[in-house]
Amino acid sequence: MSDDLKKGLEGVLVAESELSYIDGDEGRLVYRGYEIGDLAAQASFEEVLYLLWHGKLPIASELATFEEELAANRTVHDDVLETVRRLAEADANPMAALRTATSMLSAYDEEDGEPGTRAEDLAKGQRITAKMPTIVAAFKRMRDGDEPVAPREDLDHAANFLYMLNGEVPDDKLAEIFDMALVLHVDHGINASTFAAMVTASTLSDIYSSVTSAIGTLKGGLHGGANQNVMAMLKEIDESELSVVEWTRNALEEGKRIPGFGHRVYDVKDPRAAILGDQSRELGNASGELKWFSYSQVIEEFMQQETGIAPNVDFYSASTYYQMGIPIDLFTPIFALSRVGGWIAHVLEYQADNRLIRPRSRYVGPTDQKFVPIEQRE
Ligand SMILES: CC(=O)SCCNC(=O)CCNC(=O)[C@H](O)C(C)(C)COP(=O)(O)OP(=O)(O)OC[C@H]1O[C@@H](n2cnc3c(N)ncnc32)[C@H](O)[C@@H]1OP(=O)(O)O
Ligand SMILES: O=C([O-])CC(=O)C(=O)O
């Protein structure tokens, strides 16, 4: 047994995977052999889900059946919606609401919430993926005092979410950008939330428990929660007297981390940040308000020059979602609506050759304390 300490499990190999390949030196991301740029430009979220879950890109008839199955599973039970309403009334954090409601879905699964065969678990995963957007959209509407909008089976995953969120069918361009964002976020090796899902699955727990663990893990600011922090930073800069460079320099001098920068795997710019940056600029050009993209670009240049640290996926998704009119505290739930596809793919892949995940810590506490009865303790 090695006593080498690998804090944060940095660089530790824990599994073999055919799902995503990341070259952190070249800034390259590949899902099952396909370049992320090609998939973002040419494949729908449903096609990429199929690729991750079934091991190949679908032919047209396979995709049509898959899309129909997903669309047919979007409705969530009234009891779950009632809980979402209560969470909205209690002003719950949207990620906390999503975590609670997704966990609750297991009680209403058409089979049951328990582990089954691979096919049964995949079907459950597909149902979770279909229903999570309904939960997030309902939460937002109920919080705003509006009634939830029922899902539509004739819209694709991206367009249907925006429809349920806003109560109107989005224009094609917005639906296309959102679909692309879903493709870009769906998988990324054994990131923290995926690992959390795998740890849960490795005990032979059920897929609802894995996804619930993963949602809680994605929420943190060092992981998925960074996209919200990026937008909070851009707004703070906008309201500040300082220039973008001055604000960023001050933050660095105070020892702060700049949200949306740095990555455990990439040493160069995340390829997804480049694609989302283009979307952010296009949205700015279309609306005539380029400041969110411009601020982001200035921060990127300054960070590069001062620290050599490059943007990650969360940096430009922030201004992209903001310019699409999406509330800031929904940015991380939206990340979850996509990443759930990767969580499910990794859980199923890992369970096919399962081994309980159980690392060790090095004990550095005392070993020779004498027990003192409570009445004699000082
Ligand atoms: C979807 C995702 O999860 S992508 C990541 C989203 N998270 C963020 O954007 C939050 C900001 N980023 C960070 O905190 C980090 O870059 C992480 C957590 C993502 C990766 O962290 P690690 O791999 O553990 O890198 P580590 O913390 O060792 O940082 C290495 C050095 O870069 C610095 N650094 C890393 N990220 C940043 C940042 N965003 N701003 C300023 N400095 C940074 C650290 O201070 C450290 O410097 P030091 O060696 O002088 O102490
Ligand atoms: O891979 C990671 O560590 C973080 C992550 O989820 C991503 O970049 O998409």
Side-chain angles (χ1 to χ4, degrees):
M1 216 178 258
S2 160
D3 268 343
D4 282 355
L5 183 58
K6 299 274 186 188
K7 278 196 88 177
L9 295 180
E10 180 161 2
V12 175
L13 283 176
V14 298
E16 290 188 324
S17 176
E18 296 180 354
L19 293 164
S20 47
Y21 169 72
I22 307 160
D23 184 332
D25 298 324
E26 295 293 324
R28 189 168 168 228
L29 170 61
V30 166
Y31 298 160
R32 287 200 187 276
Y34 297 95
E35 289 292 338
I36 192 65
D38 292 341
L39 292 171
Q42 295 175 71
S44 68
F45 180 59
E46 283 90 330
E47 269 178 280
V48 175
L49 275 184
Y50 190 100
L51 171 69
L52 292 174
W53 292 351
H54 294 287
K56 69 172 194 78
L57 284 171
I59 59 169
S61 58
E62 289 166 334
L63 180 61
T65 307
F66 184 72
E67 287 170 343
E68 274 168 32
E69 285 168 5
L70 259 186
N73 276 299
R74 287 179 180 151
T75 305
V76 304
H77 195 281
D78 283 348
D79 291 356
V80 178
L81 277 186
E82 194 44 42
T83 295
V84 172
R85 185 183 300 280
R86 290 188 186 188
L87 290 163
E89 283 166 4
D91 201 20
N93 175 297
M95 278 299 270
L98 179 63
R99 186 190 62 220
T100 300
T102 304
S103 175
M104 189 176 174
L105 287 177
S106 76
Y108 300 89
D109 188 277
E110 64 186 50
E111 300 286 332
D112 58 39
E114 294 308 303
T117 61
R118 184 190 189 280
E120 286 163 349
D121 289 345
L122 179 54
K124 287 188 177 84
Q126 189 165 339
R127 292 196 277 278
I128 298 172
T129 306
K131 292 180 198 314
M132 280 172 54
T134 312
I135 292 171
V136 174
F139 175 84
K140 186 262 179 193
R141 293 188 67 81
M142 288 163 163
R143 176 176 74 175
D144 293 352
D146 296 325
E147 277 310 300
V149 170
R152 265 182 44 181
E153 290 192 26
D154 59 325
L155 297 174
D156 67 22
H157 203 72
N160 175 62
F161 173 70
L162 295 175
Y163 165 70
M164 291 190 297
L165 195 67
N166 299 320
E168 54 190 52
V169 177
D171 75 43
D172 289 349
K173 186 65 193 163
L174 285 192
E176 192 187 302
I177 295 175
F178 194 71
D179 181 72
M180 183 187 287
L182 294 178
V183 168
L184 292 174
H185 285 84
V186 67
D187 197 36
H188 209 255
I190 303 188
N191 58 85
S193 54
T194 300
F195 188 57
M198 288 166 60
V199 170
T200 302
S202 84
T203 70
L204 302 185
S205 186
D206 65 282
I207 195 124
Y208 283 95
S209 297
S210 281
V211 171
T212 306
S213 303
I215 295 172
T217 308
L218 187 71
K219 179 171 180 281
L222 294 186
H223 190 18
N227 57 10
Q228 301 185 181
N229 296 340
V230 170
M231 201 60 226
M233 169 179 72
L234 296 178
K235 294 198 74 161
E236 193 177 320
I237 290 173
D238 190 48
E239 284 158 19
S240 137
E241 308 272 281
L242 302 174
S243 71
V244 181
V245 164
E246 285 165 346
W247 190 98
T248 315
R249 177 177 286 119
N250 283 357
L252 285 178
E253 280 172 5
E254 287 165 18
K256 292 188 183 144
R257 290 193 173 207
I258 308 300
F261 283 84
H263 200 279
R264 180 58 66 79
V265 186
Y266 293 114
D267 284 330
V268 295
K269 185 168 176 173
D270 183 326
R272 301 164 298 174
I275 299 169
L276 286 162
D278 289 344
Q279 300 309 312
S280 173
R281 184 180 44 230
E282 261 191 48
L283 284 165
N285 279 330
S287 70
E289 174 56 277
L290 258 172
K291 72 177 173 187
W292 305 113
F293 173 74
S294 306
Y295 292 170
S296 308
Q297 210 179 18
V298 173
I299 299 172
E300 179 179 348
E301 278 162 18
F302 181 72
M303 283 295 283
Q304 182 58 47
Q305 180 191 310
E306 293 295 307
T307 67
I309 303 175
N312 59 51
V313 67
D314 288 321
F315 190 58
Y316 285 102
S317 68
S319 50
T320 301
Y321 296 151
Y322 191 72
Q323 294 179 95
M324 291 177 71
I326 295 172
I328 298 173
D329 63 358
L330 294 193
F331 292 5
T332 315
I334 283 171
F335 194 155
L337 303 186
S338 165
R339 184 57 59 89
V340 64
W343 296 333
I344 288 158
H346 280 275
V347 159
L348 295 178
E349 185 183 60
Y350 189 76
Q351 283 189 326
D353 185 21
N354 191 62
R355 184 128 202 260
L356 176 73
I357 298 174
R358 200 287 186 204
R360 295 188 302 138
S361 57
R362 180 186 296 150
Y363 182 69
V364 294
T367 53
D368 54 359
Q369 301 268 52
K370 290 281 171 283
F371 185 81
V372 181
I374 192 161
E375 57 283 1
Q376 293 169 24
R377 284 178 215 154
E378 293 175 348

